[in-house]
Amino acid sequence: MRANGKGQVWRPYLLVIAGAGAGLCAVGLGAAPWVGGVVIGVSLLVGAALRFLGSGRRAGLLAVRSRNTDTVVLAVMGAALVAGSLSLLLPSLHHP
């Protein structure tokens, strides 16, 4: 890491991007689609937590709007993606 800390700007953003990429790769490699959706949704929820806990400077590129707005948007999108992905399991529960 450089002394000026510019690398810290990318860390939270890259963590969320890596999670989204892992979810897409999981589906691409043959995992069930709901697995990839859950992985991507969880990465967005992690991003929401990082944005909520970090100040503007520590949140890095996740800081787009106010902290509350960024946190709510990431959390709602992540929760919706997790819930939607898990809902793909519901039809299989009714048909043995």
Side-chain angles (χ1 to χ4, degrees), residues 15-43 81 85:
L15 184 63
V16 173
I17 295 298
L24 291 172
C25 285
V27 173
L29 293 173
W34 68 269
V35 173
V38 169
V39 171
I40 295 170
V42 168
S43 75
L81 192 53
S85 297

Side-chain angles (χ1 to χ4, degrees), residues 38-90:
V38 169
V39 171
I40 295 170
V42 168
S43 75
L44 290 174
L45 291 171
V46 168
L50 290 173
R51 179 61 180 119
F52 180 73
L53 297 173
S55 65
R57 174 174 271 181
R58 292 185 68 195
L61 295 175
L62 290 179
V64 177
R65 299 162 211 89
S66 70
R67 181 189 329 196
N68 290 338
T69 302
D70 288 340
T71 301
V72 168
V73 168
L74 285 169
V76 167
M77 294 299 289
L81 192 53
V82 169
S85 297
L86 291 177
S87 74
L88 295 174
L89 293 174
L90 292 177

